[in-house]
Amino acid sequence: MADRIIVTGGAGYIGSHVCVDLLSAGKSLLIIDDFSNSSPEAVRRIQELAEGDIRLLKSDLADPAQRERIIDAARDFRAQGAIHLAGLKAVGESVTEPERYYRVNLGSALTLIDALKATGGKLIVFSSSATVYGDRNKSPVDETGLLGPTNPYGRTKYFIEEMLRDLHVSDPGWKIANLRYFNPVGAHPSGRIGEDPNGVPNNLFPYIAQVAVGRREKLRVFGDDYDTRDGTGVRDFIHVCDLARGHRAALDHLAREKAPGVVDVNLGTGLGYSVLEAVAAFKRASNRDIPYEIAPRREGDIAEIYANPSKAKALLGWTAEKSLDDMCADHWRWQRENPTGYGE
Ligand code: WQD
């Protein structure tokens, strides 16, 4: 069993839910986070939700000046593996600042590899994305789908997957899971941790939630002339707590199997819901009006993508359990009880 785990980006939206899940399962954690898009308050609340042993290292994995410190901390912690979530993740920003995306995302992954080499813990669960599939596949997409990300953010995910594959070739002792997330939404049912985006949200759910709570006037629905049920985009929304559980399942799988090598696994529900269906569900859950207007298509969007999640079930014994209504109810509770997120 791998019980001493580094979680990079552990204070972030997905990371905080992963930490609560792992602590509840009795793992000890070393969180490495620079708080560039997260808050120390999230770590406090992780500790409030789950007992257990947490160390925190405030460090930027992409900063060469902090590399030795990070390696020392991993060695001191005697890490047996890592869940790697740290990185930049805004698609639009990655188009205007590609070098920053490559430097930070690839550099962080390399530092983590060095840190694990120092401890001998050759096990990585990587936060990849369905974005690696690009726009070339018919849904449901399985893991043999054609790869072709369409922006620098997506390419950093793709390149890191490939880098980890090469690492395994160089030393078959390395065990790797590339988890390809579909659209993570929702929040912990306690309402204590959730997504706290900087500035104007890019993604659908945080935007809807801010409209529902009165922070923004109305949602813009990007396109109603796609070839889908109601003309709006269709996505595979997955509850962040189901997603978190998927990381633990992957970790346990890697630790258990003698020679699993590199596995690529979709984490999705297998169900596609349209933007307007998501708006209607959120309206029901919040009992608030969600004004919207139809706007032009957003550049780079595709009509429809949802997962074939069978491999996760067969390999990891994992399936998503929470419904769209659960996702909306939990996302709304978090938004209502923390209207400005974690605050200053
Ligand atoms: C979903 C649908 C929009 C906002 C992106 C990244 C992906 C991943 C998750 C990130 C689309 C529509 C959205 C709005 C809208 N990575 N929409 N009005 O684009 O599927 O995936 O986020 O970390 O890599 O590409 O998610 O939530 O942005 O959009 O109508 O204000 O909602 O057009 O159809 P997407 P999303």
Side-chain angles (χ1 to χ4, degrees):
M1 275 292 137
D3 290 325
R4 310 179 59 77
I5 304 299
I6 295 175
V7 183
T8 73
Y13 170 43
I14 296 169
S16 54
H17 293 82
V18 165
C19 288
V20 168
D21 179 79
L22 292 180
L23 288 167
S24 308
K27 314 263 185 209
S28 298
L29 306 183
L30 168 60
I31 295 176
I32 305 179
D33 203 302
D34 67 353
F35 300 119
S36 58
N37 188 22
S38 63
S39 162
E41 176 63 14
V43 178
R44 220 186 51 71
R45 295 196 188 182
I46 291 167
Q47 283 172 307
E48 169 193 307
L49 291 172
E51 308 216 323
D53 172 26
I54 301 190
R55 296 185 195 189
L56 171 64
L57 179 68
K58 179 177 183 296
S59 252
D60 174 359
L61 283 149
D63 177 2
Q66 299 182 45
R67 189 173 162 279
E68 290 310 319
R69 217 177 129 230
I70 292 167
I71 292 174
D72 287 344
R75 197 187 282 117
D76 187 49
F77 175 64
R78 292 179 288 115
Q80 294 171 306
I83 297 193
H84 180 47
L85 304 121
L88 301 174
K89 56 156 201 168
V91 174
E93 192 178 75
S94 81
V95 175
T96 53
E97 300 173 72
E99 343 71 87
R100 186 157 78 94
Y101 270 67
Y102 290 116
R103 188 176 300 118
V104 170
N105 289 4
L106 301 184
S108 298
L110 288 167
T111 303
L112 175 67
I113 291 168
D114 289 343
L116 287 176
K117 278 192 165 172
T119 73
K122 297 179 181 175
L123 197 154
I124 301 179
V125 174
F126 172 53
S127 160
S128 188
S129 169
T131 201
V132 299
Y133 294 118
D135 52 8
R136 304 160 68 185
N137 300 280
K138 205 177 142 25
S139 289
V141 186
D142 71 27
E143 292 80 356
T144 63
L146 291 170
L147 302 181
T150 56
N151 56 68
Y153 159 74
R155 276 186 282 276
T156 65
K157 293 292 182 192
Y158 169 70
F159 290 154
I160 294 168
E161 283 196 2
E162 296 299 304
M163 213 157 81
L164 296 175
R165 253 181 266 288
D166 287 336
L167 187 67
H168 170 76
V169 171
S170 75
D171 171 358
W174 282 95
K175 304 176 184 184
I176 309 291
N178 293 316
L179 300 184
R180 296 173 177 166
Y181 313 157
F182 281 70
N183 289 57
V185 301
H188 193 271
S190 63
R192 297 298 288 158
I193 54 173
E195 187 169 14
D196 182 17
N198 270 338
V200 183
N202 296 308
N203 299 117
L204 181 64
F205 263 69
Y207 207 106
I208 293 179
Q210 291 193 5
V211 172
V213 83
R215 251 172 93 176
R216 305 201 182 268
E217 194 194 333
K218 62 180 161 207
L219 173 73
R220 292 178 351 121
V221 173
F222 299 135
D224 69 347
D225 56 353
Y226 286 108
D227 183 16
T228 58
R229 282 194 289 284
D230 60 18
T232 64
V234 167
R235 295 292 183 274
D236 186 334
F237 300 104
I238 171 168
H239 196 293
V240 65
C241 291
D242 279 336
L243 193 77
R245 222 172 15 85
H247 291 70
R248 174 154 52 92
L251 199 59
D252 289 345
H253 169 76
L254 294 184
R256 191 170 51 233
E257 300 292 309
K258 286 215 162 45
V262 180
V263 295
D264 304 319
V265 185
N266 287 344
L267 293 185
T269 63
L271 300 171
Y273 287 103
S274 76
V275 172
L276 289 181
E277 287 165 347
V279 171
F282 207 97
K283 197 170 163 179
R284 276 198 306 276
S286 62
N287 206 15
R288 298 283 176 103
D289 201 23
I290 321 264
Y292 69 85
E293 67 182 14
I294 305 298
R297 291 181 177 192
R298 183 172 69 178
E299 205 186 327
D301 272 355
I302 56 179
E304 167 173 273
I305 181 163
Y306 54 92
N308 175 339
S310 333
K311 188 172 174 186
K313 184 169 188 194
L315 199 69
L316 312 180
W318 173 93
T319 43
E321 288 167 0
K322 292 180 185 266
S323 67
L324 182 64
D325 289 337
D326 297 328
M327 300 176 210
C328 292
D330 291 339
H331 206 114
W332 173 240
R333 186 178 306 103
W334 155 254
Q335 181 69 67
R336 193 189 47 196
E337 292 176 7
N338 308 267
T340 57
Y342 292 113
E344 287 315 306

